[in-house]
Amino acid sequence: MLLPWNPSSLQVFMVALLVFLLVYHSAVYYQRRLMLSNIPPGPQPLPVVGNFGALLVPSFILRRVRKIPDRATTPTQGLAELARLYGDVFSLFVGSQLMVVLNGFDVIKDAFSNQPDVFSDRPDIPVVSIMTKRKGIVFAPYGPVWRKHRKFCHATLRNFGFGKLSLEPCILQGVTTVKQELLRLNRESDGAGVDLAALIGNAVSNVICSLTLGQRFHHDDSEFRTLLDLMVRGLEICVNSPAVLINICPLLYHLPCGVFKELRQVERDITLFLKKMIATHRDTLDPQQPRDLVDMYLMEMQSQKAAGEQDDSFTEDYLFYIIGDLIIAGTDTTTNSVLWVLLYMVLHPDVQDQVQAEIDKVVGKERPLSLTDRGSLPYTEATIMEVQRLAVAVPLGIPHMASKKTELRGYVIPQGTVVLPNLWSVHRDPTVWEEPDSFNPTRFLDAEGKLIRKESFIPFGIGRRVCMGEQLAKMELFLMVTNLLQSFRLRLPDGSIPPPLHGRFGLTLAPCPFAVCVRPRC
């Protein structure tokens, strides 16, 4: 007997028809794309979602799946498994979007160094574009506007000490605060240890805030601490939660529940804080005494307006996204790098002993270490580099996009293809690194104990989109790690379980939470 035909039945029929058409259309699309375009090989995509389930294997899915091999339980390891099957250049689909993953130094260099005009663009990834409006420095498209802003930011920040020895006192001021608070918290912990993340994060962020906003924030400043937590949380939501589904269906961003609602609130709170800072700068601007990057940007806007050459790309709106990029990029990656080094030190006390012995021999225990000491501490430098190799701050880089159709390693890369550089694969390549999964700082030293610089060591990326803050990050990493190790002996609390070394995967790779106990060495 036929069911009565009513509006609800019609709705069900229309939904079923829509699903069928989506599945059929995507299946035909994938088949034609795979057969005709000579794109790199890869796993067969599913209708509608493509390879989305396999792509990056987000940990929020992994936590619900039990039967996954140990060697493929992280996004980087999952991509490494696919590279073994399909080669160093392979394809995945996110919905209907083609993504090509590059593995190994030679392949990544071929793309980003040898064809920079083609592979320097950024893709329009929905969850990222919603948050950044494709402005700023990190996620903005490659072109005249991006080049103009990067050049302006780099020149302005260098005028305020970016990458120069003159910035050293600013970094050491933060180190002093960390040491004082670490001693206090260690006493109060009664042997339970101290989580260093907040202390290190505040010290690192204050360096970039001094350059961009002209001020430092106290570690007890709840508003600023909340801002840093929001930035970290926003990255986690975008990369490592169900919010990644926004990349398939952007309308999910507007869902009034769960992480989708939380993501919108994070965006609102960060916007409120940073735009308030810009307004304060505008109201107190003294062109004769610029304090920071924000002042210089506002002055550039005024100068262009006075000359009748107002550049539509130089606006307070664009400035907002630049500040957000600089603070996030200048805080998250360096903080995690410092934490990774300290974690490896407590897990490898023999290496900690050797680093401290070198520091004692070259510098002593009285004066703080300076950037001028770097050349005299090869084992210490090698140790930091080895940790960066194993725990690369941004293991999958920032996605690139092919700005025009090209060829790479015999495969066609269509215009608009998202290109993902697997930096983790570069640093774990067994053809380049002997026993690549082992921790061995001496791999960066020659027979005479001198530091070896290896071309395939690229923790900050390669090509025209290489990290703009590389020099600043190296300065902070060296000064914070060495001065803390000069002052303290670090260990895990008695009876504690060492944290796993796979880390917490987001846009950046953060160590799993851990606490340390400290003992003054002086």
Side-chain angles (χ1 to χ4, degrees), residues 222-240:
S222 59
E223 186 179 19
F224 186 63
R225 183 68 256 163
T226 298
L227 173 70
L228 296 182
D229 291 342
L230 286 171
M231 288 181 169
V232 172
R233 179 58 181 154
L235 290 175
E236 289 179 348
I237 293 174
C238 288
V239 178
N240 208 9

Side-chain angles (χ1 to χ4, degrees), residues 111 115-121 401-406 413 464:
Q115 298 191 62
D117 290 332
V118 178
F119 290 108
S120 295
D121 210 351
M401 184 182 75
S403 56
K404 64 180 180 180
K405 182 180 178 180
T406 189
I413 311 296
R464 293 180 183 173

